[in-house]
Amino acid sequence: MTDDQRSVPIRVLIAKPGLDGHDRGAKVLARGLRDEGFEVIYTGLRQTPEMVADAAEQEDVDVVGLSILSGAHMTLLPRIVELVRERGMDDVLIAAGGIIPDADITRLKETGIAEVFGPGTSIGQIARYFREHARQRA
Amino acid sequence: MSDLAALLDAAQTGERRPLARLLTAIESRSPDVRPMLPQLFAAGHGAHLVGITGPPGSGKSTLVSALIAEFRRRGRRVGVLAVDPSSPYTRGAILGDRIRMMEHAADRDVFMRSMAARGELGGLAATTWIAAAALDAAGYDPILVETVGAGQSEVEIARLAETTVVVEVPEMGDEVQAIKAGLLEVADVIAVNKGDRPGAPRAARQLRAMMSGAGGRFARKPPPIVITTATSGEGVAELADAIDAHRSTARSPTQSRERARNQVARALADLALQRAASAEGWDATLDAVASRELDPVTAAERLFDGAM
Ligand SMILES: Nc1nc2c(ncn2[C@@H]2O[C@H](COP(=O)(O)OP(=O)(O)OP(=O)(O)O)[C@@H](O)[C@H]2O)c(=O)[nH]1
Ligand SMILES: [Mg+2]
């Protein structure tokens, strides 16, 4: 299903959990997805897993995109999945982007992260993935 | 009971996810919303609907966040709708107002929703209004609606709100002022934000002089002007007081009737357009206007008479 066939744009939350202070990548992604026809809710830096899940709940997004640079991904990302599912959002697609070792990617996918995009991924690829895998709405 | 009616019931108990899903249906103009509108509006508690508008970057979202904190201190549950424009070409949008309000994300008594204008015919004002009714049914009061004060539709939202706060900043050039005059006309309260910057008192004085000369919506007395610093919270309690104080003014018989008129006019224009656009002869009539066989006013009249 292409975006044009959907009656409404796909809503994506882009969040930057963790403590590192750069969000240039997340902002480029947010703008790129906007240009691809998505409605992008951008929540900025240093989000706790609770803040991300609560924002996803209130915004009723189709996709949660987590941009993460370093270190804490093995604790933060599964925790966010858990909190999002706890709030009843079973059909929300949760994906991550950042520099994450292959071994960790396998384990993250087991916890419910649908896909992990490495640094070289183009916005077009990400957009295509979201369109193909985001829940269908009436 | 329809799915949406069940969501409305659950939203009224204070659950957030059903309210969020109800807002999605309203926002996407789901056909299931129409039959439940009487129930939705009847479930309202009469929340104070406050529009917050002003030029891009004037600090609206930061001020909304500071107002949330102030109203929470006063024991109120606060609803927020933040509207941003959609690209007419891609239909995409960046909804960035939430960044400034994240400190309230986990507060169960604050509900914040970002909305894209989605550029549908008459869509912005119509759906925002109904979304506000849903927040009202869920028991939030006040409901703060942030819109960028950059165009006609935003001024229109201001007209639908009971109290409109226009957020200005100290550094206003003369040309900018002229553009903003239309916006100032809809102001019930003016916040001169970024009060930490030099020139705020001067800007407030200039505005006061301007406003006492200008006739407003109801030829009323000039709106109060409050200097705020959204980033520190200074002046925000005074702003909240001014908003609260305007509530009873907004509910005078004259103003209630004026707003009812605006609401019905909005709904009527919407309905007429929707019916005409789905009526037989719409395409042919547009073709006739395009080829100059028919003038647009006569075309509209025919479509209106046919559709009603
Ligand atoms: N110095 C100072 N800066 C402020 C104040 N209020 C907001 N800002 C800053 O102004 C910038 C814009 O603030 P926002 O709250 O995003 O403004 P906005 O009007 O919501 O912006 P748009 O929604 O994009 O139109 C941010 O960098 C804020 O930190 C203030 O009182 N003083
Ligand atoms: Mg804003």
Side-chain angles (χ1 to χ4, degrees):
Chain A
M1 188 172 188
T2 70
D3 196 46
D4 282 329
Q5 289 165 291
R6 287 181 187 256
S7 51
V8 297
I10 300 173
R11 281 168 73 85
V12 181
L13 184 92
I14 298 291
K16 184 103 189 36
L19 294 176
D20 51 80
H22 301 280
D23 67 345
R24 201 177 316 131
K27 279 182 175 160
V28 169
L29 177 62
R31 275 195 291 272
L33 288 174
R34 180 214 33 212
D35 294 341
E36 290 275 350
F38 293 80
E39 287 180 5
V40 184
I41 294 132
Y42 181 61
T43 61
L45 287 167
R46 295 189 195 85
Q47 303 298 304
T48 66
E50 282 76 11
M51 286 159 107
V52 175
D54 284 325
E57 179 180 42
Q58 290 167 62
E59 299 291 355
D60 193 25
V61 289
D62 305 297
V63 179
V64 174
L66 302 165
S67 162
I68 192 150
L69 270 186
S70 63
H73 55 270
M74 288 314 289
T75 51
L76 289 173
L77 297 184
R79 178 75 184 136
I80 290 170
V81 174
E82 188 180 307
L83 290 171
V84 168
R85 302 296 180 227
E86 228 171 58
R87 283 161 178 71
M89 291 175 278
D90 300 322
D91 54 356
V92 172
L93 181 73
I94 308 179
I99 307 165
I100 295 174
D102 285 349
D104 288 354
I105 292 178
T106 311
R107 283 167 59 210
L108 284 172
K109 286 189 174 173
E110 281 162 16
T111 69
I113 296 288
E115 191 55 84
V116 176
F117 300 104
T121 321
S122 74
I123 284 166
Q125 284 172 293
I126 296 173
R128 199 170 322 121
Y129 182 86
F130 286 175
R131 280 191 202 105
E132 277 165 15
H133 294 89
R135 63 184 174 177
Q136 305 292 314
R137 294 223 248 219
Chain B
M1 192 159 41
S2 78
D3 289 352
L4 288 188
L7 290 180
L8 175 60
D9 272 2
Q12 284 178 264
T13 68
E15 280 185 66
R16 303 214 286 189
R17 175 138 179 77
L19 176 59
R21 292 176 58 200
L22 185 59
L23 290 172
T24 300
I26 291 168
E27 195 179 28
S28 39
R29 310 199 118 197
S30 151
D32 301 336
V33 171
R34 175 66 194 91
M36 64 160 318
L37 284 183
Q39 193 191 340
L40 177 69
F41 278 91
H45 300 85
H48 189 188
L49 186 61
V50 181
I52 313 276
T53 191
S58 55
K60 298 177 293 296
S61 302
T62 315
L63 200 53
V64 166
S65 187
L67 280 170
I68 295 172
E70 180 59 30
F71 283 119
R72 291 292 300 124
R73 271 193 287 281
R74 298 178 184 197
R76 314 262 294 268
R77 301 178 71 219
V78 185
V80 178
L81 298 172
V83 184
D84 281 307
S86 302
S87 156
Y89 306 107
T90 66
R91 301 193 303 156
I94 290 198
L95 311 174
D97 298 311
R98 193 175 251 286
I99 300 177
R100 315 268 175 229
M101 309 181 196
M102 282 310 279
E103 62 182 291
H104 305 292
D107 184 342
R108 309 300 296 179
D109 291 315
V110 176
F111 193 101
M112 200 258 145
R113 177 71 170 233
S114 315
M115 295 176 78
R118 294 201 176 160
E120 289 168 60
L121 302 169
L124 174 60
T127 48
T128 309
W129 184 245
I130 298 170
L135 289 177
D136 185 12
Y140 295 94
D141 181 7
I143 297 161
L144 311 176
V145 181
E146 175 184 338
T147 55
V148 179
Q152 193 52 43
S153 53
E154 289 80 13
V155 170
E156 207 169 316
I157 287 194
R159 290 223 176 92
L160 294 174
E162 292 176 293
T163 301
T164 300
V165 179
V166 173
V167 183
E168 293 288 353
V169 284
E171 46 287 310
M172 304 177 299
D174 284 343
E175 310 150 60
V176 192
Q177 276 191 24
I179 299 166
K180 286 181 203 153
L183 200 55
L184 288 174
E185 258 176 53
V186 300
D188 299 305
V189 177
I190 296 175
V192 176
N193 190 42
K194 309 202 181 179
D196 52 326
R197 296 208 178 152
R202 191 170 146 261
R205 273 199 307 279
Q206 280 180 349
L207 281 168
R208 203 165 283 129
M210 249 173 96
M211 296 307 292
S212 51
R217 262 189 288 182
F218 310 107
R220 62 228 154 118
K221 64 174 199 246
I225 298 173
V226 185
I227 298 178
T228 58
T229 303
T231 40
S232 73
E234 204 166 325
V236 174
E238 289 82 349
L239 179 60
D241 286 343
I243 291 170
D244 278 346
H246 186 263
R247 184 182 186 134
S248 55
T249 315
R251 291 182 184 189
S252 71
T254 330
Q255 293 219 8
S256 298
R257 201 163 178 289
E258 175 75 17
R259 201 167 40 255
R261 202 202 78 89
N262 290 337
Q263 288 170 352
V264 173
R266 173 77 260 167
L268 189 63
D270 232 29
L271 199 64
L273 192 52
Q274 267 173 33
R275 293 237 172 120
S278 56
E280 227 174 290
W282 170 255
D283 288 330
T285 308
L286 293 189
D287 288 340
V289 174
S291 61
R292 295 171 176 267
E293 284 160 47
L294 192 63
D295 72 274
V297 176
T298 308
E301 198 173 69
R302 279 188 201 165
L303 285 165
F304 184 84
D305 289 343
M308 290 300 128

